[in-house]
Amino acid sequence: DAKTTQPPSMDCAEGRAANLPCNHSTISGNEYVYWYRQIHSQGPQYIIHGLKNNETNEMASLIITEDRKSSTLILPHATLRDTAVYYCIVRVARPDKLIFGTGTRLQVFP
Amino acid sequence: DAGVIQSPRHEVTEMGQEVTLRCKPISGHDYLFWYRQTMMRGLELLIYFNNNVPIDDSGMPEDRFSAKMPNASFSTLKIQPSEPRDSAVYFCASSLFYSEGADTEAFFGQGTRLTVV
């Protein structure tokens, strides 16, 4: 399985953009980058995923570098409710399991 | 759909007792996953099923753990006998079959917090 590297923790001021980096230098050409987050005590929640193009949805934006060796999840206007652990995962095409690393603990402060 | 439903939400049991955790996946999903989360080890994949068939159980820690999926709408994770080190939050998740461009994100239940005393 391709592995990912994320910083263990980050802080962000409420209302500012939170930029969460992820390195996945061994990613294969047909593997997607997925982002999930886990708010305290809850099950992980899907945020966004992408292959090579940048993606945006109502929750976040995903920027993937041209060589696909790294990506950044952007929460454009972080709120206190965005405080969570964010996981960057490279999805293995076959089999279809999700392997979670240690993630980045994002703390949004007032 | 009500999402992935797990029961019970909390379970406290004595060492040596049998514990059964239950999961109802989202209707129509092909995959079902069981995860365990502890402070020390994070989120670990225990086993997953595709169309009710176990595909990979390499994450199941010991023979005391077993999982079944008798039909597409129900799965169980059983621990017999339970030990204090099995204390953790157990999550069930389901998703559709992976294919390029498809919406195949996994949806997680709220988890079962197991405490073995």
Side-chain angles (χ1 to χ4, degrees):
Chain A
D1 293 355
K3 297 195 186 316
T4 63
T5 305
Q6 299 178 253
S9 64
M10 294 182 64
D11 291 337
C12 179
E14 188 177 20
R16 304 296 293 269
N19 297 289
L20 292 90
C22 179
N23 288 320
H24 31 77
S25 59
T26 59
I27 190 170
S28 298
N30 62 348
E31 290 176 324
Y32 285 75
V33 180
Y34 278 74
W35 283 83
Y36 283 75
R37 73 179 182 184
Q38 187 175 25
I39 297 171
H40 180 63
S41 297
Q42 298 180 20
Q45 174 192 24
Y46 165 81
I47 301 173
I48 198 168
H49 74 280
L51 183 63
K52 54 180 117 177
N53 298 322
N54 298 338
E55 302 288 344
T56 296
N57 63 20
E58 65 277 6
M59 289 182 69
S61 295
L62 174 61
I63 308 297
I64 303 175
T65 58
E66 194 169 339
D67 63 7
R68 301 208 327 123
K69 293 185 177 181
S70 65
S71 60
T72 300
L73 178 74
I74 301 172
L75 307 178
H77 306 286
T79 70
L80 298 179
R81 286 176 294 181
D82 292 323
T83 293
V85 178
Y86 287 77
Y87 296 97
C88 170
I89 302 164
V90 171
R91 183 80 175 263
V92 180
R94 294 287 184 275
D96 297 69
K97 55 188 178 183
L98 279 171
I99 305 297
F100 288 82
T102 54
T104 296
R105 184 173 298 276
L106 175 68
Q107 179 69 53
V108 181
F109 57 90
Chain B
D1 200 309
V4 176
I5 300 173
Q6 293 186 245
S7 64
R9 291 293 308 276
H10 302 273
E11 177 80 36
V12 180
T13 190
E14 292 185 344
M15 182 174 63
Q17 296 298 306
E18 176 180 296
V19 176
T20 299
L21 311 182
R22 297 172 174 80
C23 175
K24 181 180 187 305
I26 292 174
S27 177
H29 278 187
D30 309 280
Y31 282 86
L32 184 139
F33 307 84
W34 281 101
Y35 287 86
R36 177 174 69 175
Q37 187 170 34
T38 61
M39 288 291 292
M40 291 294 293
R41 301 175 67 90
L43 267 165
E44 302 175 276
L45 177 64
L46 300 178
I47 185 172
Y48 74 100
F49 297 81
N50 177 216
N51 291 325
N52 312 338
V53 176
I55 302 300
D56 184 350
D57 65 354
S58 60
M60 297 285 263
E62 299 173 34
D63 291 345
R64 299 183 295 106
F65 286 69
S66 62
K68 294 182 180 179
M69 193 165 185
N71 57 63
S73 59
F74 183 65
S75 177
T76 59
L77 179 67
K78 185 177 294 186
I79 308 173
Q80 166 63 21
S82 58
E83 296 183 3
R85 60 194 167 119
D86 301 331
S87 297
V89 180
Y90 291 80
F91 290 103
C92 176
S94 70
S95 72
L96 286 170
F97 180 72
Y98 178 92
S99 62
E100 186 167 343
D103 292 332
T104 56
E105 62 265 32
F107 294 84
F108 284 76
Q110 290 300 303
T112 295
R113 182 174 296 276
L114 173 65
T115 303
V116 183
V117 298

